[in-house]
Amino acid sequence: MLILKSCLVLSLLTPLQPVGNQKVVPAPPNIISIDTDFPKKGAWVQIPKGTKKITFKLKAESTETVLLWLMPTGTQTWHQRKLLGYDIKEDDKDNLFTFTWNIDRLSILDHLHIQALGEGIANDTINLIME
């Protein structure tokens, strides 16, 4: 009985391995958090007028690359998006992605659309306003 219990405990602690021709399906990307240099008020990240740079810090699991798109507010604006930049995972243990945008405009009232790419795509959006 003790041997059976030991085998059961070991089987629970050992990661599952594929058997025969079975394949392990990787987890899809998951955006855990999005942070910036500036505070959020309601649904909007408040960027002070005159700001020249903003850094976005993202935590995402099962993600290889993060794309950051700037889109105007309003409906059906996806086709007007502009790729601000991207970050590619360099360390298998690191789930952090960062990107600094050198702001090239006098005003901002836009959405930042984030895409986490891995074995699939995860999407999230934050709102940006310069006040």
Side-chain angles (χ1 to χ4, degrees):
M1 187 67 167
L2 182 59
I3 293 174
L4 182 59
K5 286 182 182 178
S6 297
C7 289
L8 179 60
V9 169
L10 284 175
S11 70
L12 293 173
L13 296 176
T14 306
L16 295 176
Q17 299 295 320
V19 178
N21 62 359
Q22 291 180 339
K23 293 185 179 183
V24 174
V25 178
N30 179 30
I31 299 171
I32 298 167
S33 64
I34 306 165
D35 294 312
T36 70
D37 301 332
F38 303 104
K40 195 172 182 182
K41 184 177 180 183
W44 294 86
V45 173
Q46 308 256 318
I47 304 167
K49 280 204 183 293
T51 299
K52 300 296 181 196
K53 289 183 182 182
I54 182 171
T55 300
F56 302 98
K57 297 172 189 138
L58 300 102
K59 187 171 184 181
E61 295 174 326
S62 303
T63 300
E64 295 299 323
T65 303
V66 171
L67 303 176
L68 295 101
W69 299 93
L70 192 66
M71 297 182 347
T73 56
T75 58
Q76 301 184 12
T77 59
W78 180 250
H79 67 282
Q80 297 174 36
R81 73 193 183 279
K82 173 186 170 190
L83 182 63
L84 285 185
Y86 61 91
D87 190 12
I88 298 173
K89 185 177 195 176
E90 294 183 16
D91 181 355
D92 284 340
K93 296 177 184 175
D94 185 10
N95 289 327
L96 297 175
F97 297 85
T98 60
F99 176 76
T100 299
W101 175 31
N102 293 315
I103 300 171
D104 58 352
R105 45 181 45 197
L106 298 175
S107 66
I108 299 171
L109 180 63
D110 296 282
H111 302 296
L112 181 73
H113 186 84
I114 297 107
Q115 290 184 308
L117 310 176
E119 292 293 325
I121 299 174
N123 295 284
D124 204 345
T125 301
I126 60 173
N127 303 311
L128 305 175
I129 186 168
M130 184 177 275
E131 296 188 317

